Amino acid sequence: MSYQVLARKWRPKSFADLVGQESTVQALSNALDQNRLHHAYLFNGTRGIGKTTLARILAKSLNCEKGTSSKPCQECNTCKEIDAGRYVDLIELDAASNTGVDDMRDLLENSQYAPSSGPFKIYIIDEVHMLSKSAFNAMLKTLEEPPEHIKFILATTEPNKVPITILSRCLQFNLKQMSSENITKHLEFILTKEKIKFDLDAINIIAKAASGSMRDALSILDQAIAYNQDKIEVDKINQMLGTISNEILIRLLDAIAKQDGAGLISLTKEMNEKNISFESSLEDLARLIHELSLAKMIPNYFEGSDNKEILNSLEDAFTPENLQLLYQIATLGKRDLYLAPDLLSGFNMALLRMIAFYPSFTNNKKEKTNAVSKNESVANKEPIKSESFVEKKTPEFDGNWRKLVEKLELGMARSLAQESEFHEFKGGTFYLRLQPHHKHLSENTYQEKLEIALSNHFMHKIKVELTIAKVKTSPAIEKKTERADLFKQTEKNIMEDSFVKELINEFDAEVISSSIQPKSTGKEK
Ligand SMILES: [Zn+2]
C-alpha cells in the first residue's frame, strides 16, 4: 500500500475536527444553523493553518443532501464527493496560477446556470489577492448582484492586497495562527492513532519548528516518520532539523552566567560536530532569553515545564538588564552571522560578546564601590577588603533584610541576597536560609561577595552563615508577590475600562494577558 501523506490522510472533515479556530467555527456554525447565509466569505490567515480545509467543510455544510447545517452528514454523495475533490458544483481555483481576467470570466460564465445537484454552486478561490485588477472587476460584477445559487469562499494570506470593493462584500474571518500547544496535541493524536511511538519533547520541537502552520508540522512529521525507524526521539529530530536541544541552550546560558569562556567554546565545538545550525541556535537562544525575561514579570512562568527548576535558577542568575543585553546580542549576532569569516567564528563571537558585556553591570558597581571607599578612606574610614576591618562595637541591624539588601552594592551576589531569608544576626554573623532549589547560589564566590558588601555597609567584618532549608519569605518572594498583585490589579483595571469593554463587545476583541505590563513602581532594584 502506498504511503499517504499525513496532511491529506488526517485532513479535518468536520468543524469539530478543526484545531485552534474555535471563534471562526462558532460564528460559522451559528450562521449555518440559523440559516443566515452570506454570498461571499473571506478567510484570511498565514499559510498552512487550514483555510482551504475550512472552505471545503463550509461547502459540505451548505450542500449536504441532508440539508444545510453546521454538521454535514459525511455520508451522502455530496459530502463524499467534496471530500474526494470531485463534486461538480464545487469549483476550486488557485489564483496564484490563474490570475488573468480570462480565467475569471471562464469561471463566472457558468455561474448563471443553476447547480447540477445541490442547492448552491460554490466557488473556492485560494490566494485571491493574486488576481489581476481586471479579474477582480469581473468578480465584482457577480458579487454586486449575486444569483441566489452562488457562494464564493475566498482565501488569502494577504487581505490588504484584496480591493476594498471586494472585501466590503465578504463576510471576513481572521484565522488564528496555531499555537504550538495545539499543534503538539494534534500530532500526539495522529501518532497515537497511527500507533507510532514518540517522545513528547520530540513532538514539541516539531510543533515549534512549524511556526504556527499545521501543514508544515505534518510534513515535518512525515519526514520524521521516514527518518526515525522505531520511535520519534528528541535527538533524531534535532539531528534531522539541525535544531538545538533545550539542554544545550541551558548549558550555553549557564556558561555565560559563570563567565566560563572555555566551557562555552567547547560547547560550540560540540555543536559544530553535530552539524547544529548556528543561525537557528541564535534564534532559539533569543527565544529562551525572552522567556526568562517574561518569567521576571509573570509569576510561576515555568510552572509545568520539564526543566522548571533549572530554568528558575537561570532566571535568578540574570538581572532584567542582563537579559535585555543578551537578547540584543543574540538577535544582532544572528543578523551579522553571514558577515563573519565562517559561521562557527560568528557564533563564537556572539557568545563571547555576551560574556564580555555580561559583567559590565556587576563590575561597574564594584568599581563604584572601590571609588567610594577610596574617598571614604581619605576621611579616615576603613578600606573595602573585609579582612581589613577591625573589630569595633558590634554593628546594629533593625531586622529589615529587604531594605538592607536594596542598599547593598552586590553585583553577582544580588540573587543570593534576594533569595535568602533572614533568620538571625548575632555576633557579626548573618544567619540566612536558602531554598533547596537555590542551592547553586550558596557557592563560595557569591557568599564571599555578600560578606564583602555587608562588611562595607556596616564598616565592620561581617560573616554570612547559610542554611539550606525551606524558606517562608525573602526579598525575591516579597517582590514576586507584590508584582503578582500589581499584575492582577492592572488586569482588573483593564478589564473594567469602558473603552476596553466596548472593544470586546463591539469588535469581539480579546485581551491578551501576556501583553499586560504593569507600570514600574520605580522602587524596583
Ligand atoms: Zn451529507
Side-chain angles (χ1 to χ4, degrees), residues 7 20 66 71 101 133 201 231 248 265 336 342 363 477:
K66 301 267 165 72
K71 294 190 181 78
V101 65
K133 201 175 165 205
D201 281 346
K231 188 179 174 189
I248 299 187
I265 297 306
D336 295 343
D342 59 82
N363 281 355
I477 292 173

Side-chain angles (χ1 to χ4, degrees), residues 14 76 89 169 187 271 376 438 457-458 490:
S14 67
C76 67
D89 290 323
R169 286 173 171 81
L187 300 188
M271 289 168 65
E376 281 171 351
H438 288 307
H457 179 81
F458 287 105
T490 311

Side-chain angles (χ1 to χ4, degrees), residues 88 143 227 243 403:
V88 279
L143 276 177
Y227 191 88
T243 43
K403 204 170 130 204

Side-chain angles (χ1 to χ4, degrees), residues 60 63-66 72-80:
K60 278 197 284 188
N63 269 19
C64 174
E65 289 166 27
K66 301 267 165 72
C73 76
Q74 316 287 4
E75 281 162 5
C76 67
N77 273 341
T78 301
C79 283
K80 283 184 179 161

Side-chain angles (χ1 to χ4, degrees), residues 10-284:
W10 294 96
R11 174 176 285 154
K13 293 201 163 85
S14 67
F15 286 127
D17 295 343
L18 264 176
V19 179
Q21 306 296 350
E22 287 75 12
S23 52
T24 297
V25 162
Q26 186 65 49
L28 278 175
S29 301
N30 290 346
L32 284 162
D33 293 337
Q34 293 160 13
N35 212 25
R36 284 185 286 109
L37 304 180
H38 214 268
H39 294 294
Y41 299 83
L42 177 80
F43 298 138
N44 60 53
T46 51
R47 49 184 293 283
I49 56 171
K51 295 186 293 294
T52 50
T53 302
L54 187 63
R56 283 185 203 128
I57 299 173
L58 177 58
K60 278 197 284 188
S61 301
L62 288 166
N63 269 19
C64 174
E65 289 166 27
K66 301 267 165 72
T68 296
S69 84
S70 66
K71 294 190 181 78
C73 76
Q74 316 287 4
E75 281 162 5
C76 67
N77 273 341
T78 301
C79 283
K80 283 184 179 161
E81 283 177 3
I82 291 178
D83 279 341
R86 53 183 156 80
Y87 181 64
V88 279
D89 290 323
L90 176 65
I91 301 104
E92 288 195 45
L93 178 87
D94 179 7
S97 43
N98 306 282
T99 58
V101 65
D102 291 340
D103 298 309
M104 188 48 69
R105 235 179 246 135
D106 284 348
L107 190 83
L108 297 175
E109 215 147 67
N110 290 320
S111 70
Q112 53 180 308
Y113 304 112
S116 42
S117 61
F120 304 109
K121 208 169 215 174
I122 300 162
Y123 292 88
I124 294 180
I125 305 175
D126 196 14
E127 297 296 0
V128 68
H129 63 274
M130 302 282 278
L131 288 180
S132 66
K133 201 175 165 205
S134 43
F136 271 128
N137 282 337
M139 186 160 91
L140 189 60
K141 272 191 191 154
T142 313
L143 276 177
E144 276 169 340
E145 288 171 44
E148 277 300 311
H149 61 269
I150 292 285
K151 299 285 174 214
F152 279 102
I153 308 176
L154 314 176
T156 180
T157 48
E158 295 180 66
N160 55 320
K161 290 189 181 160
V162 178
I164 190 80
T165 44
I166 301 280
L167 285 181
S168 63
R169 286 173 171 81
C170 295
L171 195 56
Q172 278 191 63
F173 292 95
N174 247 323
L175 268 62
K176 279 190 197 156
Q177 200 164 18
M178 249 171 264
S179 69
S180 63
E181 289 81 11
N182 271 337
I183 295 181
T184 302
K185 258 191 239 163
H186 195 55
L187 300 188
E188 256 186 281
F189 167 79
I190 290 177
L191 287 169
T192 312
K193 289 270 178 194
E194 294 275 337
K195 296 195 171 64
I196 295 170
K197 288 187 203 150
F198 62 94
D199 285 340
L200 191 55
D201 281 346
I203 302 306
N204 280 328
I205 297 168
I206 296 179
K208 275 193 188 132
S211 315
S213 161
M214 186 66 90
R215 186 167 60 211
D216 287 355
L218 289 174
S219 73
I220 297 172
L221 192 60
D222 273 322
Q223 290 173 49
I225 291 169
Y227 191 88
N228 293 257
Q229 296 303 324
D230 313 313
K231 188 179 174 189
I232 298 181
E233 289 169 330
V234 173
D235 280 355
K236 290 182 193 164
I237 294 295
N238 277 327
Q239 217 176 335
M240 186 185 102
L241 296 173
T243 43
I244 182 172
S245 70
N246 241 358
E247 182 228 323
I248 299 187
L249 286 178
I250 287 169
R251 278 164 65 196
L252 285 174
L253 278 183
D254 191 49
I256 291 163
K258 290 186 176 135
Q259 314 244 303
D260 177 8
L264 206 57
I265 297 306
S266 89
L267 257 175
T268 61
K269 208 174 141 216
E270 187 187 321
M271 289 168 65
N272 198 34
E273 280 159 9
K274 285 184 179 167
N275 273 332
I276 290 174
S277 149
F278 289 127
E279 190 181 1
S280 55
S281 294
L282 282 171
E283 199 176 300
D284 288 339

